Amino acid sequence: MTAETPRDLTTKIDGRRAVGARNRERLLNAAVEVFAERGYRGTTTRDIAAAAGITERTLFRQFPSKAALFQEAVAGPVERFFADFRESWSARPRGSRDSETEIREFFGSLRTVLEGERALLQAFLAATSVGDGEGLGDLRTTFTPVIDSLVEIFAVEAELRGWNADHGIAVRLIIGMAFSATVHRDWLFTDDQLANFGYLIDQLTQMTLWGLAGPRAE
């Protein structure tokens, strides 16, 4: 038998990593669908593995528990949004866009991401609120790092634009409005209001920038 060369070993390792990455992606895609359909309590790791077309043993090589898989399925897209937002913000010269444009785009993009994860976020809230989500932790723990990152961005923008609000609270209120307008939309808004996405984003932007009084007349 011919001895394996270092290159052969490297190729094998790279191949295993590629297979592992593909399995992880398949599991996350399957988890999103199954959790959204059945909720946290009604879903088993066997269900997810079957939906992904892999074995349950393979699932546990990628994720130590159902809770860990659910956490990543819920948090992953939102964390990627904040990472992309920070990268986009960092690439722009400071002050290159007016406040209204910055905030409107942020609200619009964030609400689009949350809309895509709405069923999972609802399942998360349901599981933790009734005690069925043992091991899940809470959304505060999950999203604190990305919120803190956004607070840093807000502090820079606030100094540039003369915003005087408490940075940490302001950022959380902004995210909270986008979150509520998405996750709790069914009882908050009428069908007519929900049908006009642009108008809703305009109102969120107006409330953030000018409060109830609206834009000042020039």
Side-chain angles (χ1 to χ4, degrees), residues 33 37 41-42 74 76 83 105 108 110 114 125 127 129 137 142-143 162 164 166 170 174 180 189 193 202 205 207:
E33 294 181 6
E37 179 183 348
R41 187 178 186 181
V74 172
E105 182 176 298
L110 178 57
L114 293 176
L125 292 174
S129 65
T142 301
F143 292 121
N164 297 316
D166 181 290
I174 289 169
S180 293
F189 301 104
Q193 290 168 336
D202 285 342
T205 302
M207 286 289 295

Side-chain angles (χ1 to χ4, degrees), residues 66-166:
K66 182 174 80 166
L69 177 53
F70 189 55
Q71 281 273 15
E72 185 159 341
V74 172
V78 180
E79 289 174 338
R80 286 193 293 275
F81 163 78
F82 282 110
D84 290 345
F85 176 80
R86 186 178 185 88
E87 182 177 348
S88 174
W89 177 82
S90 298
R92 294 195 299 272
R94 300 287 74 81
S96 59
R97 300 199 300 188
D98 61 81
S99 299
E100 187 172 353
T101 299
E102 289 279 10
I103 292 176
R104 179 182 285 107
E105 182 176 298
F106 176 80
F107 269 132
S109 300
L110 178 57
R111 189 169 181 271
T112 298
V113 172
L114 293 176
E115 188 68 36
E117 304 305 311
R118 182 170 179 260
L120 285 182
L121 289 167
Q122 288 176 324
F124 192 109
L125 292 174
T128 54
S129 65
V130 298
D132 288 335
E134 185 177 353
L136 282 180
D138 56 40
L139 285 175
R140 180 171 59 184
T141 301
T142 301
F143 292 121
T144 289
V146 291
I147 292 176
D148 287 345
S149 176
L150 191 59
V151 171
E152 294 174 7
I153 293 175
F154 186 92
V156 174
E157 292 290 333
E159 184 175 358
L160 177 69
R161 301 175 189 278
W163 297 340
N164 297 316
D166 181 290

Side-chain angles (χ1 to χ4, degrees), residues 1 25 38 111 155-156 212 217:
M1 179 179 292
E25 183 177 1
R38 305 181 189 179
R111 189 169 181 271
V156 174
L212 295 174

